[in-house]
Amino acid sequence: MSGGEPGLGLEAALWRAVAVYRVLALGYAAVVIAMNFGGYARPAAGWAVLGVMAAWTAYAVHAYADPRRRGWDRRGWPLLAADLAVAAGCLLATAWVETVPNIQAGRPTLPVSWVAAPVLAWAVAGGRRVGVLAALVLAAANLLVHAIAGTTGGMGSRTFNGIVLLVFAGLVVGHVVRLALDAEARLARAVELESATRERERLARGIHDSVLQVLAMVRRRGGELGGEAAELGRLAGEQEAALRSLIGANPVREAGGDAVADADLRPLLTAHASASVTVSTPATEVRLPAHAAREVAAAVAAALDNVRRHCGPGARAWVLLEDGPGEVAVSVRDDGPGIPAGRLDEAAAGGRLGVAQSIRGRIRDLGGTVAIASAPGQGTEIEMTVPRG
């Protein structure tokens, strides 16, 4: 993982832990080499391997401190590959530095537990699969050391246990790291949503204390005065209902400039509720991909706009949202005069594409269907069906 923003703090702590382990393991390897160098076939080479390990430890601690070099992109994977290669090389050097009898007797390799550092780095960077892969590469190098010494068949339990521990380290650390990063991302998301909810509540209180009260007063006084004022009151009532629905709905959140995976369609539709528009939705969330939810809401808005323009000021409309197992259906019904036969085709031919594009086009692009039922004097019903996928 390349250090995404939600998990940046946790990842930095994990990489610091790997760096501390690397330094401590180097100290342990130095103690083991100091105790055993007298029995090496090439003692000077043993100190040279320790020098390589020390130099690489210093470089790796510095290099991994840069978050851009921790992932699997073009800048990150070369460091991880080099880390594993250096560890494997120091491990294989055991066959050249140690004597065959000492290897056969089960004496530890030159790097000892230092070889686990790249396994931990791979596990933190890429999860359990790549952690296990790094452990298997080092296990193969360890087996090659014993093959050179002619002890493959009689490999000691200490060597076998070391290989098993390496594999477990890559598996367990990689798995736990992924769980921790996912948990931190969820926590960051929850904190973000809580902050947005609090801000929304603050704005809602301000709107309720000012705008909604003014709209309610205009609606009430317009109804009392009658005439043109009554029409103004009706419009104010519609805006009041829409605004109340809007401030009470859950927003479709954006993350990093991209829409979230899905959204609840209900608040997008209830925003159209007014004195002349009734919106009915299920009690539970109706989830759709965010783009699809916005397109369905736009198609409903286009249908309601047609009702206002063609059915007269006294027309009423009903919006019904139904949630099926594999699809979502939205119907818009009005009590207007209906659509004469052939009127939609004539409108499309004349360049008036409200139904053809704003409704049918949107739903078609989502893989859905639109059915229009209308009869003179009996109103019109538009049913839009969209698959969940």
Side-chain angles (χ1 to χ4, degrees):
M1 191 168 180
S2 58
E5 200 63 30
L8 186 58
L10 177 60
E11 276 197 297
L14 292 171
W15 285 106
R16 284 195 296 269
V18 174
V20 171
Y21 173 85
R22 196 184 296 269
V23 173
L24 294 178
L26 175 67
Y28 177 61
V31 171
V32 172
I33 291 175
M35 292 174 58
N36 297 333
F37 84 98
Y40 290 156
R42 298 175 178 84
W47 292 115
V49 172
L50 180 61
V52 171
M53 292 166 56
W56 181 256
T57 297
Y59 174 76
V61 169
H62 172 74
Y64 281 123
D66 184 356
R68 296 171 299 179
R69 306 186 67 180
R70 298 171 182 165
W72 292 99
D73 55 11
R74 184 173 56 185
R75 291 176 294 183
W77 72 261
L79 177 60
L80 290 165
D83 195 8
L84 187 62
V86 170
C90 293
L91 187 59
L92 290 172
T94 303
W96 181 53
V97 175
E98 269 284 15
T99 62
V100 171
N102 285 339
I103 296 175
Q104 293 174 343
R107 180 178 282 187
T109 59
L110 294 177
V112 203
S113 57
W114 186 82
V115 295
V119 175
L120 298 178
W122 279 51
V124 172
R128 59 181 181 271
R129 290 185 177 85
V130 296
V132 170
L133 176 61
L136 292 177
V137 171
L138 294 177
N142 204 336
L143 293 175
L144 184 57
V145 170
H146 286 270
I148 295 174
T151 59
T152 304
M155 182 177 59
S157 60
R158 181 182 298 178
T159 300
F160 179 77
N161 290 339
I163 292 175
V164 172
L165 288 176
L166 274 180
V167 174
F168 281 178
L171 177 65
V172 174
V173 171
H175 183 64
V176 171
V177 165
R178 281 294 163 269
L179 290 178
L181 291 176
D182 289 344
E184 188 179 32
R186 292 191 184 98
L187 178 60
R189 175 66 174 161
V191 171
E192 178 188 358
L193 290 177
E194 182 181 4
S195 299
T197 300
R198 289 181 178 177
E199 178 64 14
R200 188 179 187 84
E201 291 174 351
R202 185 187 68 81
L203 293 174
R205 288 193 296 269
I207 291 174
H208 182 271
D209 293 340
S210 57
V211 180
L212 288 178
Q213 291 182 0
V214 172
L215 290 174
M217 183 183 68
V218 173
R219 174 178 56 81
R220 185 175 62 255
R221 292 293 295 160
E224 294 172 355
L225 295 174
E228 294 184 358
E231 175 65 13
L232 180 61
R234 184 187 67 82
L235 294 175
E238 293 180 356
Q239 295 305 312
E240 179 193 3
L243 189 55
R244 287 186 184 277
S245 176
L246 180 62
I247 64 176
N250 292 325
V252 178
R253 300 291 298 160
E254 300 289 328
D258 297 323
V260 294
D262 57 9
D264 185 5
L265 181 58
R266 297 178 305 162
L268 299 179
L269 297 185
T270 54
H272 297 294
S274 66
S276 59
V277 178
T278 301
V279 180
S280 301
T281 65
T284 57
E285 291 186 340
V286 180
R287 312 296 295 186
L288 278 178
H291 170 71
R294 289 194 297 269
E295 289 296 283
V296 171
V300 170
L304 294 175
D305 183 61
N306 284 339
V307 173
R308 284 189 290 267
R309 285 190 297 160
H310 301 297
C311 297
R316 291 187 53 81
W318 294 265
V319 178
L320 175 62
L321 172 61
E322 297 177 280
D323 188 10
E327 60 187 19
V328 172
V330 182
S331 62
V332 180
R333 181 172 60 87
D334 63 65
D335 59 357
I339 303 175
R343 175 65 61 83
L344 294 179
D345 294 335
E346 293 176 4
R352 298 187 299 275
L353 304 178
V355 174
Q357 292 298 331
S358 297
I359 299 177
R360 281 178 170 156
R362 280 191 168 97
I363 302 304
R364 182 182 63 247
D365 290 345
L366 298 176
T369 58
V370 175
I372 300 177
S374 183
Q378 298 183 16
T380 302
E381 181 175 3
I382 301 176
E383 183 175 7
M384 294 165 275
T385 304
V386 177
R388 286 193 174 278

